[in-house]
Amino acid sequence: MTKPISNLRNFTIGRGTELRCKGWRQEGMLRMLENTIANGEKPEELIIYGGSGKAARNWESYHAIVETLKALENDETMVIQSGKPVAVFRTHEDCSRVLCANTNLVGKWATWDHYRMLEAKGLMMYGQYTAGTWAYIGTQGILQGTYETFAACGKQMPEGDLRGRIVLTAGLGGMGGAQPLAVKMAGGVCIAVEVDRSRAERRVDTGYCDLICDDPAQAMALAREAAQNGRQLGIALIGNAAELLPRLRTMGLKPAIVTDQTSAHDPLNGYVPAGLALSEATTLREKDPGEYTRRSLDSMSAHIRAMLDFQRDGAIVFEYGNYLRGHARENGVANAFDIGGFVPMFIRPSFSRGRGPLRWICLSGDEADLRTTDATVQAEFSDDPLLRTWMDMAREKVAIQGLPARTCWLGMGERERLGALLNDLVRSGKVAAPLVISRDHLDTGSVAQPTRETEAMKDGTDAVADWPLLNALLNAACGADLVTIHQGAGSGMGGSISAGHLLVADGSEGAARRLAKCLHVDPGIGVIRHADAGYEDAIAARDAAGMRDPMQPA
Ligand code: NAD
């Protein structure tokens, strides 16, 4: 096997206007792959975020993908199976350039045991959402969604925001690391328990968190003092959530909100059991995976019991999509699902209207391009107060990681407008190089995850996975540059089916055509999915977008 890139400090992301590939569509994907790895949590292992979510199966596959992208003709399509390139087909110019299927196992076989056996033989990888779609842009990718969730919590407070409130959570990894800054943006104070000091340090270094505490009493005192003075503060408290949550409650902490973003979806390679130092956990994981998993599940049970206790105390408590409730219930906590999920509690009305997390990335690597796109988007959507507030805060508070990028929640119709605007910026030379448009899989019509995005659907279709598969088919039919279908993600093995895409805006007529189509069907199938489930705002959005219901007479 090819040796890993030995020193990731030498791992560069392509920037500027020079092409290494035979077209910008291929070059765009190559830069997105490099950007994803460079921003990853453990890049030397190709692990990007979410426990073991990877961008390529191994370094040998990575190098083969890079070489294939460089040689790929403008009428060819590379096929990737769980992070390994397996074929190049002659297709046609308007077709997708890359198609990927990651971590997909037939229903009855979608168990961790079966997956780990295949992974150990080098036959599969875990794609998570944006890792295997090469759309990862660092912690900022999830920041706006996390902010919207905490802002929605704030609306339930008499003051209408989180000013003077303490949020208690855990996990400062690739996604969870967004929590302290998102809480601050929503006005509050955050205590985030994190077992791995290096992760906490990374969040402080990149401006997502303010300070690190080792002493729970000190963290509580600092949080209370900031909350009393209406000041925003993000505190990382080093320790294990399963131990520290019950302890903080015994010590009298009264958070307004409690949630969690440890990698609980993966009890072996994600969650760290209580009672072990990080190094001891690493040793046990390798020596006795069965014992490690048992300890993890017991710790998750203790963790969720503490969250249920905080709920009884009157806090708003929700699971943040990491399957903590599922594992706790399977391990004997019968009432774990008394805690709700964040999508039905806060996000579903956005999804019903086709609103979700779009992002764009400046392939030039030039910050000036980001400023140009920011200004253009703000001018175009100046009548949207939520978007204006978000863009102002993001410009001020979000540090650039890798290629300059911005996230922005947009709805049906708005996404097509954005695609045309950005493509025009490239065509007219107002930005130095093409842009990529993408999104999280956590979106209106691209995921079935019954303990998260599709939890508690109105018609009980939580586990119906036809919708994300249709989403991927539609994106491919409309020529999205890269299309992926994933299984597992944040709910662990067997927990979800989802789809992702990358769209390159290179200023050409072809890009304009593909962008218009993809940015219509992509949220469109989400609106249809929610309309089909009976959500009235989705039916209104469907009608407003002129999408006909074939079951109704014309
Ligand atoms: P990650 O693996 O990058 O980070 C997880 C962090 O949790 C690590 O820093 C780890 O040290 C810490 N941790 C593990 N066990 C702990 C314990 N017992 N106590 C304290 N800290 C502990 O994962 P991530 O990308 O940040 O994602 C975290 C979880 O959130 C995943 O399950 C993921 O699927 C889910 N997720 C949710 C959303 C969302 O929008 N809700 C989005 C993405 C991911």
Side-chain angles (χ1 to χ4, degrees):
M1 190 187 290
T2 318
K3 265 171 67 119
I5 291 172
S6 55
N7 180 355
L8 283 169
R9 273 171 299 178
N10 292 335
F11 181 82
T12 50
I13 309 165
R15 291 166 192 261
T17 53
E18 211 153 295
L19 286 176
R20 295 163 294 173
C21 301
K22 295 185 174 178
W24 269 110
R25 298 180 72 190
Q26 299 90 316
E27 179 73 28
M29 284 176 284
L30 176 53
R31 291 188 192 188
M32 290 300 292
L33 170 61
E34 291 166 341
N35 193 51
T36 293
I37 294 171
N39 280 315
E41 291 293 297
K42 296 179 191 163
E44 63 287 353
E45 295 173 47
L46 289 162
I47 290 178
I48 311 306
Y49 75 99
S52 56
K54 290 173 87 171
R57 200 184 297 180
N58 48 40
W59 284 104
E60 192 179 22
S61 298
Y62 167 80
H63 290 300
I65 291 169
V66 171
E67 291 314 311
T68 307
L69 279 173
K70 285 181 180 168
L72 200 70
E73 298 290 345
N74 292 316
D75 61 353
E76 288 183 331
T77 299
M78 167 163 52
V79 182
I80 295 183
Q81 183 262 322
S82 279
K84 182 179 96 168
V86 290
V88 172
F89 287 112
R90 174 129 303 144
T91 50
H92 60 86
E93 276 203 23
D94 245 0
C95 185
S96 303
R97 291 284 76 89
V98 182
L99 295 173
C100 311
N102 293 320
T103 333
N104 296 285
L105 285 165
V106 171
K108 280 189 190 168
W109 282 262
T111 63
W112 276 119
D113 283 349
H114 192 71
Y115 169 76
R116 292 203 207 286
M117 180 273 291
L118 293 167
E119 190 195 26
K121 290 184 179 171
L123 297 173
M124 281 205 117
M125 73 157 202
Y126 205 64
Q128 267 290 355
Y129 276 178
T130 50
T133 305
W134 311 342
Y136 189 70
I137 53 172
T139 304
Q140 63 172 310
I142 203 69
L143 181 64
Q144 189 185 3
T146 314
Y147 159 69
E148 294 227 355
T149 301
F150 287 125
C153 289
K155 293 222 166 67
Q156 298 187 15
M157 306 292 153
E159 304 80 10
D161 63 24
L162 290 186
R163 218 163 293 266
R165 310 284 169 175
I166 297 174
V167 175
L168 175 62
T169 184
L172 287 174
M175 297 286 112
Q179 295 179 102
L181 182 54
V183 168
K184 282 172 63 181
M185 285 173 155
V189 174
C190 180
I191 302 180
V193 178
E194 169 56 60
V195 74
D196 181 345
R197 176 179 288 278
S198 71
R199 301 289 191 114
E201 283 168 355
R202 187 160 184 192
R203 302 310 152 215
V204 172
D205 289 347
T206 48
Y208 281 86
C209 189
D210 296 311
L211 56 99
I212 297 176
C213 274
D214 289 282
D215 174 8
Q218 189 199 12
M220 261 175 68
L222 286 169
R224 279 182 174 149
E225 193 268 328
Q228 271 156 16
N229 292 309
R231 208 158 45 81
Q232 288 74 51
L233 187 64
I235 304 166
L237 173 59
I238 304 302
N240 194 299
E243 292 164 337
L244 281 177
L245 259 70
R247 189 151 157 221
L248 288 164
R249 185 169 172 271
T250 311
M251 290 165 71
L253 184 69
K254 296 248 177 297
I257 291 147
V258 181
T259 186
D260 177 60
Q261 281 206 51
T262 56
S263 286
H265 68 277
D266 187 339
L268 179 62
N269 292 313
Y271 197 83
V272 178
L276 295 173
L278 207 54
S279 57
E280 292 169 337
T282 309
T283 310
L284 181 64
R285 183 182 284 135
E286 276 159 23
K287 241 178 66 195
D288 191 347
E291 174 61 14
Y292 185 103
T293 304
R294 268 189 300 282
R295 287 196 193 200
S296 254
L297 294 173
D298 285 347
S299 299
M300 287 187 211
S301 295
H303 190 160
I304 212 92
R305 281 196 196 97
M307 290 172 74
L308 285 161
D309 286 341
F310 278 119
Q311 191 177 44
R312 271 188 291 275
D313 293 346
I316 298 174
V317 180
F318 60 92
E319 189 206 86
Y320 218 141
N322 60 358
Y323 204 62
L324 184 65
R325 293 170 301 172
H327 276 137
R329 184 169 65 185
E330 288 157 21
N331 197 46
V333 186
N335 62 340
F337 277 76
D338 285 357
I339 293 170
F342 78 109
V343 174
M345 284 170 78
F346 307 113
I347 302 290
R348 179 131 322 128
S350 281
F351 282 173
S352 284
R353 304 194 319 269
R355 189 168 173 272
L358 221 69
R359 62 188 60 181
W360 65 88
I361 299 95
C362 303
L363 293 179
S364 64
D366 192 342
E367 285 187 43
D369 281 359
L370 187 62
R371 287 195 291 277
T372 305
T373 56
D374 279 347
T376 307
V377 171
Q378 279 195 296
E380 174 73 11
F381 299 102
S382 58
D383 54 347
D384 180 342
L386 203 65
L387 185 141
R388 255 200 342 260
T389 312
W390 161 253
M391 291 288 286
D392 285 343
M393 284 193 302
R395 279 204 338 236
E396 186 196 324
K397 296 187 195 298
V398 180
I400 288 184
Q401 276 178 268
L403 294 176
R406 185 69 71 221
T407 60
C408 195
W409 280 51
L410 289 174
M412 192 71 216
E414 293 172 334
R415 303 195 196 195
E416 292 160 64
R417 273 161 65 198
L418 179 95
L421 269 181
L422 296 187
N423 201 47
D424 278 349
L425 286 181
V426 182
R427 188 182 44 76
S428 59
K430 291 190 178 129
V431 289
L435 305 161
V436 166
I437 300 174
S438 186
R439 56 158 172 74
D440 202 338
H441 292 209
L442 179 155
D443 196 8
T444 164
S446 46
V447 57
Q449 187 154 182
T451 54
R452 208 159 110 173
E453 288 88 340
T454 50
E455 177 171 343
M457 291 295 290
K458 207 169 178 175
D459 62 348
T461 54
D462 307 16
V464 174
D466 296 336
W467 300 103
L469 296 176
L470 288 169
N471 175 285
L473 290 173
L474 283 164
N475 269 292
C478 294
D481 298 84
L482 173 146
V483 183
T484 56
I485 297 176
H486 288 191
Q487 187 278 133
S491 295
M493 204 46 60
S496 79
I497 308 273
S498 65
H501 68 191
L502 295 179
L503 310 169
V504 180
D506 61 7
S508 66
E509 281 299 314
R513 208 170 42 237
R514 289 188 294 273
L515 285 166
K517 287 184 183 143
C518 292
L519 292 171
H520 179 73
V521 298
D522 189 52
I525 193 68
V527 169
I528 298 287
R529 191 264 177 275
H530 288 86
D532 194 64
Y535 290 92
E536 275 162 21
D537 43 0
I539 294 168
R542 180 195 65 198
D543 294 347
M547 292 188 289
R548 197 171 76 74
D549 176 0
M551 294 299 283
Q552 299 297 326

